[in-house]
Amino acid sequence: MKLGIGMGPLGPPGGANIVAVAKEAESLGYDTIWCPEIYGADCFTPLAWIGAQTERINLGTSIMQISARTPASAAMHAVALDYLSQGRLILGIGVSGPQVVEGWYGQPYPKPLARTKEWIEIFRKIVARKEPVAFDGEHYQLPLPGGTGLGKPLKLILHPAREHIPLYLGAEGPKNVRLGVEHCDGWIPMFLSPYRMMEVYKDAMARRAKGFEIAAVVPVIVDDDLDRAMAAVKRDVGFYVGGMGAKNFNVHKDHVSRLGFGAEAERIQELFLSGQRDQAIAAVPDQLCDEIALIGPKARIRERLQAWRDSPVTMLTVGSSDPETLRFMAEEVL
């Protein structure tokens, strides 16, 4: 099993914090450092900063939101970063939610699976560089119909360092996971339980090819006080299930419900949206937090690592930038 690390906050201007974390992870043998993209920093610039000051660690986007860029723009970003880092990019992509897609990017959200499939097809064509790219889909058209009428198919000028840049799909719903299995090189899940994942995703993962990667984001909190460690995980779960989405559209709430915590998810959202955030966080089940995270004393984490080893997960992305925690996980996993 490989190890990855989530980049975390940028820290003070200058980027010294993220470079220090990346160098420490690289020295310990971590495979990938993953950079998020929500509505703050973009995901490419910090990775370029890190890539310029490291040598081996892979540079992963987790996740690049496909509504933020046209397929051609994203391909240019990806090819340039992969070229400059000598083939170290893993492009994690996802659709985000309607609040961000429509509220921040001003793009339509409907039919996210169909949009994603078209986006991937165009991206692959651009990077493969076999011919000028033309595409006539429901969501993307190249060249653009109408306009001046002067648009024409073009071919990427820069020769990529690799003809195939790995694409991982950030996904929670089974249909989206199936799309990733069929069209991508890997899957980036969050709030994943190794004890329940095959119950939820057995059909979606049935056609996964040999070498398909599953890079699961796993909070790791080494603390002799289990309740204190549990409380930190509860805060994150409560925020996502309760507030990261509308009452009638919250993919994180739906995901937790599929894991078997439907009634609890309803209660968390009800409390959160009524302004009772502390109560919502308290309502997050201990069992759920314990299954999706590695928390507590070191001996307990060692024991519970076995469930992840026995699962189809190929990379644990450690949700911590604490040097001691990174070293502990490297010793136990690598």
Side-chain angles (χ1 to χ4, degrees):
M1 182 178 287
K2 303 172 186 174
L3 282 179
I5 178 173
M7 193 184 74
L10 294 179
N17 282 18
I18 59 173
V19 170
V21 169
K23 286 185 173 181
E24 176 71 7
E26 182 175 67
S27 72
L28 292 170
Y30 279 66
D31 182 85
T32 306
I33 183 164
W34 297 94
C35 180
E37 179 172 81
I38 307 175
Y39 39 93
D42 75 287
C43 57
F44 287 108
T45 305
L47 289 177
W49 195 256
I50 289 169
Q53 300 177 72
T54 54
E55 297 177 358
R56 299 179 306 280
I57 195 165
N58 288 318
L59 310 169
T61 60
S62 178
I63 57 173
M64 192 215 78
Q65 299 171 9
I66 66 171
S67 295
R69 302 164 186 85
T70 64
S73 174
M76 291 165 68
H77 277 78
V79 167
L81 181 52
D82 197 59
Y83 189 94
L84 293 172
S85 66
Q86 299 188 40
R88 286 193 278 155
L89 176 67
I90 299 174
L91 189 64
I93 63 170
V95 295
S96 190
Q99 289 81 4
V100 173
V101 171
E102 297 180 356
W104 186 245
Y105 296 119
Q107 299 295 316
Y109 183 80
K111 299 186 178 180
L113 269 69
R115 280 192 296 113
T116 302
K117 188 175 179 181
E118 289 189 10
W119 193 100
I120 290 170
E121 187 175 347
I122 298 169
F123 178 87
R124 296 287 199 206
K125 284 176 178 286
I126 292 172
V127 176
R129 214 180 157 274
K130 293 181 178 178
E131 58 187 2
V133 177
F135 190 85
D136 185 18
E138 178 183 357
H139 303 278
Y140 298 102
Q141 295 86 37
L142 292 173
L144 180 71
T148 64
L150 299 176
K152 65 178 184 178
L154 296 172
K155 188 176 180 180
L156 186 70
I157 295 173
L158 176 64
H159 289 251
R162 295 181 291 175
E163 291 183 357
H164 183 93
I165 292 175
L167 275 180
Y168 290 16
L169 186 64
E172 291 176 284
K175 290 182 180 179
N176 209 10
V177 172
R178 183 181 296 114
L179 186 150
V181 166
E182 294 175 352
H183 297 280
C184 296
D185 306 286
W187 168 34
I188 304 172
M190 67 180 295
F191 298 158
L192 186 70
S193 166
Y195 306 94
R196 302 169 189 256
M197 65 179 293
M198 292 313 294
E199 295 175 23
V200 177
Y201 297 114
K202 181 179 179 181
D203 292 340
M205 294 175 61
R207 296 176 61 184
R208 75 184 188 277
K210 183 179 180 180
F212 184 81
E213 299 279 358
I214 303 175
V217 180
V218 183
V220 179
I221 303 173
V222 180
D223 194 330
D224 290 336
D225 188 331
L226 180 59
D227 290 338
R228 183 168 57 199
M230 186 83 71
V233 181
K234 284 191 172 194
R235 283 195 296 273
D236 283 346
V237 176
F239 177 72
Y240 275 89
V241 174
M244 285 291 280
K247 180 172 177 55
N248 61 348
F249 192 97
N250 183 322
V251 295
H252 311 296
K253 172 177 169 285
D254 293 344
H255 170 62
V256 167
S257 297
R258 280 190 293 268
L259 289 178
F261 299 93
E264 294 88 341
E266 290 286 347
R267 182 61 177 158
I268 293 165
Q269 186 187 65
E270 177 186 342
L271 290 166
F272 196 98
L273 294 182
S274 67
Q276 302 177 75
R277 295 194 175 192
D278 291 343
Q279 293 90 329
I281 290 167
V284 176
D286 289 1
Q287 184 178 358
L288 170 63
C289 294
D290 209 13
E291 290 186 15
I292 66 173
L294 289 166
I295 54 177
K298 289 183 178 180
R300 187 177 192 273
I301 291 175
R302 287 191 189 100
E303 179 182 336
R304 296 183 71 80
L305 265 170
Q306 190 59 45
W308 293 97
R309 293 190 179 100
D310 294 339
S311 77
V313 170
T314 61
M315 182 188 298
L316 292 181
T317 297
V318 177
S320 174
S321 58
D322 173 60
E324 184 179 344
T325 300
L326 297 182
R327 286 192 292 271
F328 168 68
M329 290 298 292
E331 290 166 1
E332 296 302 321
V333 175
L334 304 179

